[in-house]
Amino acid sequence: MNEDGYTLAELINEFYRRHNRESSLDEMKIIESWKSVVGGFIAAHTLDLRITKGILYVKVDADSLRNELMYSKSILLRNINRTTGTNILKDIVLI
């Protein structure tokens, strides 16, 4: 806490809110939560994560893993949004 009684997290959140960058903070939360949502094995085979206009683009290193993840897209989407406390993610595209 600083002398005004605010925590660093509160100050950072307020900064992002004032500069209309709240979605950037939410996007960082989503990317950081990937490993905890999918587990270490899948995270180790994830090459890239990007978010554009509410769509999470996930690049993995194996076709078989990409196919398995495609079957679980709706579950992944729900779990990521729930874990991060956001609702900005609308779809997942596996590449």
Side-chain angles (χ1 to χ4, degrees), residues 1-11 14:
M1 277 195 191
N2 65 9
E3 65 262 4
D4 294 329
Y6 296 104
T7 65
L8 181 59
E10 290 170 333
L11 293 172
E14 180 63 18

Side-chain angles (χ1 to χ4, degrees), residues 18-60:
R18 284 188 184 183
H19 297 300
N20 296 320
R21 300 295 296 172
E22 287 177 294
S23 63
S24 295
L25 190 57
D26 290 339
E27 289 172 3
M28 288 186 330
K29 287 180 191 177
I30 289 168
I31 290 172
E32 289 174 1
S33 74
W34 179 251
K35 184 177 181 180
S36 67
V37 171
V38 300
F41 177 81
I42 294 172
H45 291 278
T46 301
L47 302 175
D48 189 33
L49 293 169
R50 286 179 286 123
I51 300 173
T52 304
K53 297 181 182 179
I55 300 172
L56 176 62
Y57 293 89
V58 181
K59 184 175 184 180
V60 294

Side-chain angles (χ1 to χ4, degrees), residues 63-81:
D63 291 337
S64 58
L65 179 58
R66 181 174 41 257
N67 290 335
E68 289 296 321
L69 289 174
M70 288 181 79
Y71 291 116
S72 304
K73 269 180 33 169
S74 62
I75 295 168
L76 287 173
L77 188 62
R78 184 182 65 230
N79 289 344
I80 290 170
N81 282 330

